[in-house]
Amino acid sequence: MKKEQVLLKMKQDCLVAVIRAESKEEAEKIIDAVIAGGINFIEITMTVPGAIDIIAAMCQKYAHDNNIVIGAGTVLDPETARAVILAGANFVVSPALDIETIKLCNRYCVPMMPGVLTPTEAVTALTYGCDIIKIFPGNLFGPSSISSFRGPLPQGNFMPSGGVDVDNVADWIKAGACAVGTGSSLTKGAKTGDYAAITAKAQEFVAAVSTARNIE
């Protein structure tokens, strides 16, 4: 999928599922459950054992479905970024701002979403061509941080990650977030093997975001 298509679809869907798991098998079950619940953007973090293999497998499994977009998270360096891109990742996310990683992703026309927590970092991300900037950890400042960033930087697109749940996702959207990343609150059913609960929670997220966007 081309970079422009990924960015447009992410802004349309507004939801990114952040996948963390203890094993490849658990990760694949979580991903299937999330997709069954209607969330199309899947961010497989590099903290999952065998993450690159999972990205390749999921890209192949869902190659027939143009709605599903597989990406990589917790990418800390350009070497890892190149590896996940070769595995098929359509977007790259990091908890931090690493310029060389941004350059690598730009070279291959893959959207890169660095984590920032200050205006200086946000301006640096914009300077190096990041179309969507991750606010992380989002729970440190809450939804009001979006308007604070967008005040001096209205040209920026901001995506919070960390602390986003069903109860506050509408607040993030109405505050101006172009998308949100959600992990533990979405996938906590995996701890007890209740993958149906993950599907149900994904459906709740989709409904909450849809309602929030209709209100605006």
Side-chain angles (χ1 to χ4, degrees), residues 102-185:
I102 296 171
K103 289 180 179 179
L104 184 285
C105 292
N106 285 342
R107 186 174 303 136
Y108 294 99
C109 293
V110 173
M112 198 281 155
M113 297 137 201
V116 311
L117 200 55
T118 68
T120 298
E121 291 177 326
V123 170
T124 300
L126 290 170
T127 300
Y128 283 92
C130 295
D131 296 281
I132 295 178
I133 301 169
K134 173 181 172 181
I135 304 298
F136 181 80
N139 55 321
L140 288 186
F141 296 110
S144 62
S145 62
I146 299 296
S147 57
S148 295
F149 274 104
R150 292 190 69 195
L153 302 172
Q155 71 274 31
N157 293 299
F158 297 96
M159 176 183 76
S161 188
V164 178
D165 57 38
V166 168
D167 293 331
N168 66 25
V169 67
D171 296 331
W172 285 105
I173 296 298
K174 287 185 282 187
C178 71
V180 299
T182 181
S184 58
S185 69

Side-chain angles (χ1 to χ4, degrees), residues 15-130:
L15 272 170
V16 179
V18 181
I19 308 300
R20 300 189 187 279
E22 299 298 323
S23 67
K24 179 180 178 182
E25 293 73 21
E26 183 184 54
E28 291 181 352
K29 290 178 181 179
I30 292 172
I31 291 166
D32 289 341
V34 167
I35 290 173
I39 297 180
N40 298 318
F41 275 80
I42 306 297
E43 176 189 327
I44 300 167
T45 65
M46 289 299 100
T47 56
V48 179
I52 293 175
D53 291 337
I54 298 170
I55 289 171
M58 291 297 100
C59 286
Q60 182 175 4
K61 180 174 183 177
Y62 288 100
H64 66 284
D65 191 338
N66 292 329
N67 288 317
I68 306 304
V69 185
I70 305 295
T74 322
V75 175
L76 305 181
D77 49 61
E79 294 81 6
T80 304
R82 184 60 179 141
V84 300
I85 291 170
L86 286 171
N90 283 293
F91 63 95
V92 174
V93 185
S94 177
L97 178 70
D98 182 78
I99 292 172
E100 294 306 313
T101 301
I102 296 171
K103 289 180 179 179
L104 184 285
C105 292
N106 285 342
R107 186 174 303 136
Y108 294 99
C109 293
V110 173
M112 198 281 155
M113 297 137 201
V116 311
L117 200 55
T118 68
T120 298
E121 291 177 326
V123 170
T124 300
L126 290 170
T127 300
Y128 283 92
C130 295

